[in-house]
Amino acid sequence: MVEPFSRAAGVVGERLRGIRTALGLSQEEVAHLADIHPTNYGKIERGRANPSLSTVIRIATVLDTDAGELITGLTIADLPGRHRLYTAKDFIRERERMR
């Protein structure tokens, strides 16, 4: 099996699959209702795509769920690549210290 795009994409895909199957809907049905190509929807569920915010909201709306529930608990650590773990609060504190 191919690895997810990122841990975050994998988690979102798993959550979508769980909601969809609980509703008794196929991937094709959700894709049609969300105006997404079924292949792309399948990639999202498998964590092999990084959907746009508008796509996430459309899918969440179709599944009658809050889009925020799909990303709850995910952090920068769940994204691929190197990331700064420097927050706005850290930046402001350092800026004030330098004055």
Side-chain angles (χ1 to χ4, degrees):
M1 179 173 196
V2 179
E3 289 295 314
F5 181 80
S6 66
R7 182 178 180 307
V11 168
V12 170
E14 289 172 16
R15 290 175 181 172
L16 287 171
R17 184 179 304 109
I19 296 166
R20 176 185 59 77
T21 58
L23 292 171
L25 297 170
S26 69
Q27 288 185 346
E28 291 79 13
E29 290 167 329
V30 173
H32 174 73
L33 292 168
D35 199 25
I36 300 167
H37 193 279
T39 302
N40 291 338
Y41 181 78
K43 287 179 183 178
I44 293 169
E45 272 199 11
R46 290 189 307 279
R48 295 299 305 149
N50 194 15
S52 68
L53 179 58
S54 61
T55 298
V56 170
I57 292 170
R58 285 199 325 265
I59 295 168
T61 300
V62 165
L63 297 175
D64 197 27
T65 192
D66 185 328
E69 291 182 24
L70 299 173
I71 62 169
T72 296
L74 297 175
T75 68
I76 198 165
D78 298 310
L79 298 175
R82 292 178 20 184
H83 300 284
R84 290 186 184 171
L85 298 177
Y86 195 65
T87 66
K89 185 177 178 180
D90 295 333
F91 175 80
I92 292 167
R93 182 175 44 246
E94 185 63 19
R95 184 181 65 191
E96 293 301 317
R97 190 183 71 78
M98 298 300 285
R99 288 185 177 171

